[in-house]
Structures are given as C-alpha cells and as structure tokens.
C-alpha cells in the first residue's frame, strides 16, 4: 500500500511537471504577441471538444482515445511556440506582409518543431508528452489540399493533431482582433471555415465543427481577451 501511494504521488508530480513546462513555454510565446491574449487557452479547449465530438466516427476511433485527447489538450498551447524566433518587425507588422516577410513568418512552424525536438532529446525519449506538441507546432499550418506550409502535406498525410489545430487556430484568429485585422463575427468565421472545407480543412472535421460551432462560441465567450 505504501509503494502504491508513492507511485501515485510520483505520477502526480510528473503530471504537474509536464503541465508547468507546457504552460511556461506557452506563456513565453504569448509575450511575443500580446494581442493573442487568451488565444492559447481558447484553442486548447476548441481542440478538445472537436476531438471528443468526432472520436466515434470510423475514421478517428482508433486514434482519438481518452489518453490521446488528454495529451492533445495539454499540447495544444505550444502550437505557436516557434513565434519566439520571428522578428518583431514581422510578427507585429500592422499591414500586409511582403513575400520575404511571409517566408520568415512561415518559419515559426519549424522553429517550434526544432525547439521541442531538442527538449524531447533531453528527456531521452521519442514517445514523450511532447510528441503531440511537436506534431502540432510543425503541421498546424498545413492545408488539406496541399497548399499549406512548411511541407505542403495534403489530406491524411497531415497528422490528425495538426488538422484539429488548423480548425481551432483559424476560428480563433478570425474572431479575434489582430494588429492587421478587426475581429470577425462568429457567423462570418463559420462561413469562412465552411468555404474552406476540403481545401484548407479536413472535410470530416469541418462537418464536426459545424455541428458544434455554438460550443466554440461559448468557449470564446468564457475565455475572452482582457
């Protein structure tokens, strides 16, 4: 009984260490882009409710287990950690980016992947709790039709974690004010995501989003920017 209690306590300590690591890194990324506010909190909740909603569909049953969804929720805040490597002149530019500036902005996906890969190497495991964070950071800007970046992946070649984050990230970017755009209404954001079905977004995930879009609205209201 004593050994069991010690194991349970050690497990809780490890979980707290994981959570503290993730939130510290996410907070660091947020300091580079102050307009995002509660963006990281909202997007991790979007990812979870969308994953939970589509998990019973045949395409996702084997992937979206309870454990995987919990790890996706924990990892989602690190999707933009690579922005710490993007110059302020690009990250905070109020106008349209030049082609050269956009190329620099696109590198945040590889900056994030590389930083998290290095952290995983220190842990000495390729199956650590950072594995999903690495996937999400690297692939959340890929598009279903292959026109995204950084690798131009298409369809199911894009990891499911990246496809889920793409929906969550774009929805939140649309409804949020940015230095280069005003906030769109929830209704307009839903229209834009609908238009991106089969182009930007996984069609099945898009359909799932449309079925629970009101839940996305509730999360956005609950975690508003200060």
């Amino acid at each position: 009984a004593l050994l069991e209690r010690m194991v349970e306590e050690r497990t809780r300590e490890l979980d707290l260490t994981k959570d503290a690591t993730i939130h510290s890194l996410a907070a660091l990324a947020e300091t580079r882009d102050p307009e995002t506010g509660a963006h990281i909190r909202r997007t991790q909740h979007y990812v979870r409710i969308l994953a939970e909603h589509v998990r019973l569909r045949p395409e996702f049953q084997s992937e979206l287990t309870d454990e995987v969804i919990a790890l996706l929720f924990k990892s989602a805040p690190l999707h933009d950690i690579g922005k710490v490597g993007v110059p302020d002149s690009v990250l905070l530019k109020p106008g349209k980016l030049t082609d050269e500036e956009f190329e620099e902005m696109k590198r945040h996906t590889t900056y994030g992947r590389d930083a998290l890969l290095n952290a995983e190497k220190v842990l000495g495991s390729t199956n650590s709790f950072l594995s999903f964070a690495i996937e999400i950071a690297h692939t959340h800007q890929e598009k279903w039709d292959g026109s995204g970046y950084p690798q131009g992946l298409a369809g199911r070649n894009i990891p499911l974690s990246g496809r889920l984050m793409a929906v969550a990230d774009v929805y939140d970017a649309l409804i949020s004010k940015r230095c280069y755009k005003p906030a769109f209404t929830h209704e307009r954001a839903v229209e834009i995501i609908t238009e991106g079905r089969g182009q930007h977004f996984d069609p099945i995930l898009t359909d799932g989003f449309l079925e629970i879009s009101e839940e996305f609205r509730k999360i956005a209201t609950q975690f508003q920017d200060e």
Side-chain angles (χ1 to χ4, degrees):
L2 176 60
L3 180 59
E4 287 179 358
R5 286 197 298 272
M6 290 174 65
V7 171
E8 290 174 358
E9 181 62 28
R10 181 58 176 159
T11 300
R12 282 194 295 270
E13 290 176 0
L14 288 172
D15 285 339
L16 287 172
T17 300
K18 293 175 184 179
D19 291 345
T21 301
I22 289 172
H23 285 284
S24 295
L25 289 170
L28 175 63
E30 191 177 5
T31 63
R32 293 296 320 289
D33 191 2
E35 287 187 345
T36 58
H39 170 71
I40 58 176
R41 180 68 64 84
R42 293 191 296 266
T43 50
Q44 72 174 156
H45 283 274
Y46 299 150
V47 165
R48 182 166 66 182
I49 64 164
L50 183 56
E52 288 175 342
H53 183 70
V54 302
R55 66 181 301 175
L56 295 180
R57 303 195 183 199
E59 298 85 350
F60 306 130
Q61 277 184 346
S62 62
E63 288 186 81
L64 293 176
T65 62
D66 288 343
E67 180 183 7
V68 167
I69 292 175
L71 287 171
L72 289 172
F73 180 77
K74 288 178 180 290
S75 302
L78 296 178
H79 67 281
D80 275 340
I81 185 64
K83 284 186 175 180
V84 297
V86 178
D88 284 349
S89 60
V90 174
L91 188 64
L92 304 179
K93 183 177 179 179
K96 181 179 174 61
L97 298 178
T98 65
D99 290 344
E100 294 78 12
E101 289 169 337
F102 185 54
E103 287 301 314
E104 178 57 38
M105 178 63 83
K106 287 161 63 173
R107 292 190 183 101
H108 82 274
T109 55
T110 52
Y111 293 157
R113 176 204 61 187
D114 293 347
L116 293 169
L117 275 173
N118 287 333
E120 192 174 55
K121 287 178 182 177
V122 172
L123 292 174
S125 171
T126 58
N127 294 307
S128 75
F129 70 99
L130 291 175
S131 295
F132 281 113
I134 291 167
E135 276 189 358
I136 291 172
H138 197 216
T139 66
H140 71 282
Q141 294 290 352
E142 301 286 1
K143 296 182 180 180
W144 185 257
D145 64 4
S147 65
Y149 62 87
Q151 299 178 85
L153 301 177
R156 295 186 181 278
N157 287 325
I158 306 168
L160 179 55
S161 59
R163 281 143 51 201
L164 286 162
M165 179 52 72
V167 176
D169 194 37
V170 171
Y171 172 80
D172 203 67
L174 290 170
I175 65 165
S176 302
K177 181 181 177 181
R178 293 288 186 265
C179 59
Y180 52 85
K181 62 170 278 296
F184 294 157
T185 64
H186 167 79
E187 290 75 18
R188 181 57 184 143
V190 170
E191 289 176 358
I192 292 172
I193 290 178
T194 303
E195 292 165 3
R197 183 186 187 275
Q199 298 173 23
H200 191 150
F201 310 108
D202 180 330
I204 299 175
L205 293 184
T206 306
D207 293 344
F209 163 77
L210 295 175
E211 291 163 4
I212 60 168
S213 65
E214 283 302 312
E215 296 301 313
F216 274 60
R217 189 207 295 263
K218 291 177 182 177
I219 290 170
T221 300
Q222 181 180 359
F223 301 104
Q224 294 185 49
D225 292 335
E226 294 182 0

